[in-house]
Amino acid sequence: MMKFVASLVLAAAAARAHYTFPRLVVNGQAEEKDWYDTRMTKNAQSKMGVTDPTSSDIRCYSSQKAQAVATVPAGSVIHYVSTQQVNHPGPTQYYLAKVPEGASAATWDGAGAVWFKFHTTMPSVNAQKQMSWPGQNEYVTVNATIPPSTPSGQYLLRVEQIALHLAQTPNGAQFYLSCSQVNITNGGNGTPGPLVALPGAYKTNDPGILVNLGAIQADAYIPPGPAVWTG
Ligand SMILES: *[C@@H]1O[C@H](CO)[C@@H](O)[C@H](O)[C@H]1NC(C)=O
Ligand SMILES: *[C@@H]1O[C@H](CO)[C@@H](O)[C@H](O)[C@H]1NC(C)=O
């Protein structure tokens, strides 16, 4: 019995140390309820991250489509609500993928070299001489701006926070992510890129994925994936 209780306590502690991003916030306006515009992820209960960056789960980790498509004016500031404190060190990145002509954000799967990154974060060194990351220990993800020149239309929007506390061993990094169905309005004439596939953009031994944070300088960190498109 004691052993059973102890393992329950451990499981609860593990769940507390992990998180999901079920709710998109656009210019301060949160989606109606969890998993409304955002596709429910397979870890909605377990909260466990993706550990194989080459698996199909690295794209959206979704278990089902969402019921709605959020309107997101180009130039909006967005972030996500987290179910738990984002307590693990690592970068937060945002990607978009334009839904092909004739398809819908409500059903499209995001396959192919279609994803561009529009935001990432770098660590700094705090007063205690520890590496610290934007958004770390918050209950929301960092803010990012949808580049105003992003063309109007339907997209999948992907948020990712990569927990690097165990990343010194292969498949030790934990990817916390979700994808929302969005309709970008009032967009511009930009040509987003470079475009990458997910899975495909990440390798297990990328220097930003297989990394010992205790052994590098903050400014030497290299976020995985393509260069940021700034619009
Ligand atoms: C992030 O954006 C929201 C509005 O969506 C704003 O209330 C909040 O202050 C911003 N946070 C930071 C750290 O700038
Ligand atoms: C996307 O927004 C445009 C412009 O407001 C609108 O015409 C279109 O119906 C919207 N599509 C979806 C799927 O919401």
Side-chain angles (χ1 to χ4, degrees):
M1 184 63 188
M2 278 307 291
K3 201 172 168 193
F4 176 66
V5 171
S7 65
L8 274 184
V9 169
L10 275 179
R16 259 203 311 282
H18 299 97
Y19 28 95
T20 59
F21 307 132
R23 208 180 279 224
L24 171 65
V25 182
V26 180
N27 291 332
Q29 181 77 42
E31 70 186 87
E32 280 191 38
K33 54 187 180 185
D34 288 356
W35 313 121
Y36 185 66
D37 308 311
T38 300
R39 293 181 179 177
M40 185 178 281
T41 48
K42 291 179 186 173
N43 64 340
Q45 299 307 321
S46 76
K47 309 287 190 293
M48 300 306 283
V50 176
T51 52
D52 179 355
T54 67
S55 75
S56 59
D57 281 340
I58 202 69
R59 187 187 299 155
C60 287
Y61 206 10
S62 55
S63 57
Q64 61 188 63
K65 308 289 193 283
Q67 70 188 92
V69 176
T71 300
V72 181
S76 296
V77 175
I78 59 112
H79 69 263
Y80 282 79
V81 174
S82 181
T83 45
Q84 278 80 17
Q85 188 181 38
V86 182
N87 60 337
H88 295 307
T92 302
Q93 310 202 94
Y94 292 97
Y95 289 79
L96 281 163
K98 194 162 197 310
V99 176
E101 219 45 61
S104 156
T107 53
W108 183 55
D109 66 0
V114 291
W115 296 91
F116 65 93
K117 178 163 50 172
F118 67 93
H119 192 87
T120 191
T121 58
M122 283 289 287
S124 56
V125 178
N126 66 17
Q128 290 76 41
K129 299 238 167 24
Q130 285 162 340
M131 211 185 278
S132 115
W133 296 79
Q136 193 176 340
N137 296 329
E138 303 289 338
Y139 288 83
V140 291
T141 65
V142 299
N143 283 349
T145 301
I146 305 287
S149 60
T150 306
S152 295
Q154 295 184 60
Y155 289 78
L156 292 179
L157 168 63
R158 178 179 176 279
V159 58
E160 145 186 282
Q161 197 269 345
I162 311 176
L164 296 174
H165 56 301
L166 300 173
Q168 67 275 15
T169 53
N171 291 348
Q174 300 163 3
F175 295 77
Y176 294 95
L177 63 119
S178 56
C179 291
S180 303
Q181 303 166 178
V182 303
N183 188 23
I184 294 184
T185 58
N186 301 318
N189 297 317
T191 307
L195 298 176
V196 299
L198 290 165
Y202 296 169
K203 303 275 177 288
T204 300
N205 61 354
D206 281 347
I209 293 176
L210 181 60
V211 58
N212 181 352
L213 289 186
I216 65 163
Q217 299 294 313
D219 61 3
Y221 181 74
I222 303 168
V228 169
W229 184 67
T230 51

